[in-house]
């Protein structure tokens, strides 16, 4: 696709490229090896949510985590807090460490969406790609394990940068590594705030909403930024942008 205005795609990871294999970001694949499933499910959903929320407040306040070893240490504390909120689970120190280890080092903790597996190889032929994600260092090995890392020329992780989106540094770090100007890139994220942050820097954005109800509502009634449901929609939008640029040159 020579001559198109967009040269690079800056792409969020969670809920855009992949999601938790278990359906919950903090329930790793071997979670129920260490947590009794029946006991856990007998606890009210609000109490379980509060336990995760309490622990999440701690981890979200750790802006700089440079490697998996540091990440593991922080998640040991995360699951310690989680355990304290749910004493019914009777999680001893060994189980707390095992939960942290599985969350950090299990390379199959996230599953890539089918449209990603099908579309990304094709997109990588025409565009430079970058991951720009609010995440921890263990995200990158997940991409390696899934055979997806080689499609990306840049991999920007918030915990290594020390800030989260929509801080301009997150987008600028990817642009700098790719050697691309803001107007030559397209940012894809599920967060409206993050998309607006990109547009303030002159980066066009798409909001990906995989839930069809949210997608339909936003498309019909809330038109802050264009919305798509999947990467087939991204490819369609890229073709529309290219056609519009060609018309300008006529």
């Amino acid at each position: 696709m020579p001559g198109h205005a967009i040269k690079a795609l800056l792409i969020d990871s969670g809920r855009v490229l992949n999601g938790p294999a278990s359906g919950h970001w903090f329930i790793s694949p071997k979670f129920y090896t260490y947590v009794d499933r029946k006991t856990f499910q007998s606890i009210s959903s609000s109490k379980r949510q509060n336990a995760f929320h309490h622990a999440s407040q701690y981890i979200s306040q750790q802006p700089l985590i440079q490697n998996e070893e540091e990440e593991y240490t922080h998640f040991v504390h995360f699951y310690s807090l989680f355990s304290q909120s749910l004493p019914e689970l009777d999680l001893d120190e060994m189980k707390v460490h095992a939960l942290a280890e599985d969350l950090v080092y299990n390379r199959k903790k996230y599953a890539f969406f089918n449209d990603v597996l099908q579309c990304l190889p094709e997109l990588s032929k025409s565009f430079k790609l970058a991951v720009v994600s609010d995440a921890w260092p263990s995200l990158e090995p997940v991409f390696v394990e899934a055979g997806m890392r080689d499609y990306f020329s840049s991999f920007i992780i918030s915990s290594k940068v020390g800030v989260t989106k929509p801080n301009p540094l997150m987008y600028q770090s990817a642009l700098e590594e790719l050697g691309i100007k803001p107007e030559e890139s397209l940012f894809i994220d599920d967060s409206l705030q993050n998309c607006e942050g990109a547009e303030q820097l002159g980066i066009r954005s798409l909001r990906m909403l995989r839930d069809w109800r949210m997608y339909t509502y936003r498309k019909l009634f809330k038109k802050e930024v264009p919305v798509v449901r999947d990467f087939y929609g991204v490819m369609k939008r890229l073709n529309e942008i290219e056609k519009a640029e060609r018309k300008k040159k006529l």
Side-chain angles (χ1 to χ4, degrees), residues 140-202:
E140 190 167 1
V142 171
F143 278 70
V144 174
E145 176 71 20
M148 302 297 288
R149 178 61 180 88
D150 289 344
Y151 294 120
F152 296 90
S153 302
S154 176
F155 211 95
I156 305 301
I157 300 296
S158 61
S159 75
K160 291 187 174 184
V161 178
V163 297
T164 58
K165 294 172 290 184
N167 188 296
L169 186 58
M170 288 291 288
Y171 314 95
Q172 292 166 345
S173 296
L175 294 176
E176 183 177 343
E177 288 192 3
L178 296 176
I180 295 295
K181 299 176 183 177
E183 61 270 20
E184 296 174 328
S185 63
L186 178 70
F187 175 67
I188 305 162
D189 199 296
D190 63 304
S191 163
L192 175 60
Q193 181 184 33
N194 294 342
C195 289
E196 291 177 337
E199 295 200 335
Q200 289 176 8
L201 298 175

Side-chain angles (χ1 to χ4, degrees), residues 8-243:
L9 307 181
L10 279 54
I11 310 173
D12 181 35
S13 181
R15 292 179 290 272
V16 175
L17 292 169
N18 52 43
S22 69
H24 191 291
W25 293 107
F26 297 118
I27 295 180
S28 59
K30 295 182 181 179
F31 182 84
Y32 292 113
T33 301
Y34 313 109
V35 175
D36 183 77
R37 187 188 296 266
K38 289 184 178 180
T39 303
F40 183 71
Q41 293 178 345
S42 71
I43 301 170
S44 69
S45 60
S46 61
K47 188 174 182 180
R48 285 180 293 175
Q49 289 172 8
N50 286 337
F52 279 121
H53 177 68
H54 176 56
S56 296
Q57 285 184 313
Y58 164 77
I59 200 69
S60 65
Q61 292 169 359
Q62 313 306 316
L64 200 62
I65 301 176
Q66 292 289 320
N67 53 54
E68 288 179 292
E69 290 74 19
E70 292 179 8
E71 182 181 346
Y72 169 74
T73 298
H74 285 297
F75 271 103
V76 167
H77 190 64
F78 173 97
Y79 283 111
S80 294
L81 294 172
F82 173 77
S83 175
Q84 291 167 19
S85 297
L86 299 177
E88 306 97 313
L89 298 180
D90 194 26
L91 296 176
D92 58 23
E93 185 177 353
M94 183 182 72
K95 289 180 180 179
V96 165
H97 279 261
L99 286 168
E101 181 177 357
D102 192 44
L103 187 84
V104 175
Y105 293 106
N106 193 316
R107 309 311 190 198
K108 296 186 181 297
K109 60 183 175 180
Y110 304 146
F112 289 83
F113 299 111
N114 287 334
D115 58 286
V116 173
L117 298 175
Q118 294 178 18
C119 295
L120 220 63
E122 191 64 28
L123 287 168
S124 69
K125 296 176 183 177
S126 302
F127 305 94
K128 292 183 178 182
L129 304 181
V131 166
V132 182
S133 180
D134 291 341
W136 299 285
S138 63
L139 178 64
E140 190 167 1
V142 171
F143 278 70
V144 174
E145 176 71 20
M148 302 297 288
R149 178 61 180 88
D150 289 344
Y151 294 120
F152 296 90
S153 302
S154 176
F155 211 95
I156 305 301
I157 300 296
S158 61
S159 75
K160 291 187 174 184
V161 178
V163 297
T164 58
K165 294 172 290 184
N167 188 296
L169 186 58
M170 288 291 288
Y171 314 95
Q172 292 166 345
S173 296
L175 294 176
E176 183 177 343
E177 288 192 3
L178 296 176
I180 295 295
K181 299 176 183 177
E183 61 270 20
E184 296 174 328
S185 63
L186 178 70
F187 175 67
I188 305 162
D189 199 296
D190 63 304
S191 163
L192 175 60
Q193 181 184 33
N194 294 342
C195 289
E196 291 177 337
E199 295 200 335
Q200 289 176 8
L201 298 175
I203 303 170
R204 281 178 276 196
S205 68
L206 289 177
R207 187 180 183 192
M208 184 172 289
L209 297 173
R210 291 186 173 274
D211 180 86
W212 71 268
R213 293 180 182 86
M214 289 185 63
Y215 167 78
T216 302
Y217 174 74
R218 288 288 173 177
K219 188 173 180 64
L220 292 176
F221 304 111
K222 299 286 185 178
K223 301 184 178 181
E224 305 96 340
V225 297
V227 294
V228 293
R229 281 200 66 193
D230 50 34
F231 275 87
Y232 300 116
V234 171
M235 295 179 80
K236 181 180 178 181
R237 180 62 178 165
L238 286 166
N239 284 329
E240 292 171 350
I241 292 173
E242 184 182 12
K243 288 178 181 178

